[in-house]
Amino acid sequence: MDIVAAFARRVAEHGYAETNYSHIASDLGIAKGTIVHYYATKDRLFAAMHDLYMQRCLNEAKEIVERLDDPAEQLAGLLISFILYQDVDRDFTIAFQREIATLATHESMATGRRLRAEYLRLVRNVMKAGMQAGTFWSVDVNVQSLLIFGSSQWAWTWFQPNGRLSAVEAGCQLVELVLGSLLVDRSSLAALADPSGRVARAAQECVATITETQPAG
């Protein structure tokens, strides 16, 4: 396990404030000075973790949008992916979601802020395309997108990998909630929110493939 992955696991389990280089060095069986050599400060290590995670998520989001046919399918795929991260990339996801406010404005997070802005822009563009096509009702995209992210960002507090619902099933519940209010014609909602359907499979394949093939940092 490398330094960034070990850090992500520690932050996911104990939080940023309770994680230090001694813990990571002990986990990896290396000298603390080795970590300091690569990441002089803890905020830089957090930034490295954050940037790696966001770049993975962004690549996956782009792949989902490219593979699916229209804004309704694309948004459904993205919504499912939001919850899949609780299972597929769990340590990085929890570390990111529970602590992002800690260093959100820090200088070391400049690249991360750009990546988050690009990700948000991608989701909003899908929503706008759906409105322009007459597929979605006209809504305030800025507010609606923040409401979507606000709900999914708290999934780490309640989702249990071995619980009653799988990640893809929980993601499809989010699809029902969001697209149920956005779709002008709801006849396609059941297919979009089907855990064994084409959209869910595409989201799962994109998330699993890109997460597995990219280095952990």
Side-chain angles (χ1 to χ4, degrees):
M1 180 184 294
D2 62 28
I3 293 170
V4 177
F7 175 74
R9 188 188 68 186
R10 276 278 176 179
V11 174
E13 292 178 355
H14 305 288
Y16 179 82
E18 299 301 318
T19 297
N20 60 50
Y21 281 5
S22 295
H23 295 142
I24 302 167
S26 177
D27 289 344
L28 296 177
I30 61 176
K32 186 168 70 171
T34 302
I35 304 173
V36 175
H37 174 73
Y38 290 104
Y39 305 100
T41 60
K42 193 166 69 166
D43 65 281
R44 291 184 183 178
L45 181 50
F46 184 90
M49 181 207 73
H50 172 277
D51 295 352
L52 180 68
Y53 176 74
M54 278 307 309
Q55 189 62 67
R56 280 205 297 254
C57 291
L58 184 57
N59 290 343
E60 289 156 1
K62 289 177 178 177
E63 181 68 17
I64 288 169
V65 169
E66 184 166 331
R67 286 187 56 172
L68 296 172
D69 295 334
D70 57 58
E73 288 192 344
Q74 292 164 352
L75 184 57
L78 291 169
L79 291 168
I80 292 168
S81 74
F82 294 169
I83 309 301
L84 289 177
Y85 296 133
Q86 300 296 329
D87 197 14
V88 176
D89 208 5
R90 186 163 175 78
D91 287 343
F92 277 77
T93 297
I94 295 177
F96 170 83
Q97 291 182 345
R98 73 179 291 172
E99 298 291 353
I100 184 56
T102 303
L103 296 172
T105 61
H106 199 281
E107 182 180 353
S108 64
M109 298 292 289
T111 299
R113 286 193 292 273
R114 290 195 295 271
L115 290 170
R116 292 203 308 276
E118 185 176 354
Y119 191 98
L120 181 58
R121 185 162 54 249
L122 181 148
V123 174
R124 286 174 171 172
N125 284 342
V126 169
M127 296 176 70
K128 290 175 183 177
M131 290 166 54
Q132 291 169 356
T135 304
F136 299 156
W137 294 107
S138 180
V139 297
D140 187 321
V141 170
N142 289 349
V143 172
Q144 291 286 325
S145 60
L146 292 175
L147 288 170
I148 291 169
F149 281 109
S151 61
S152 63
Q153 289 290 303
W154 282 96
W156 71 273
T157 66
W158 56 263
F159 179 77
Q160 298 296 326
N162 298 316
R164 182 173 60 85
L165 293 178
S166 67
V168 68
E169 289 171 335
C172 286
Q173 293 281 322
L174 184 59
V175 171
E176 288 191 15
L177 178 66
V178 174
L179 286 178
S181 64
L182 281 179
L183 286 169
V184 174
D185 179 0
R186 290 164 51 96
S187 61
S188 64
L189 182 58
L192 293 170
D194 181 357
S196 60
R198 190 174 74 90
V199 173
R201 289 198 305 273
Q204 288 175 292
E205 290 168 4
C206 291
V207 169
T209 300
I210 292 178
T211 299
E212 289 171 0
T213 57
Q214 290 197 24

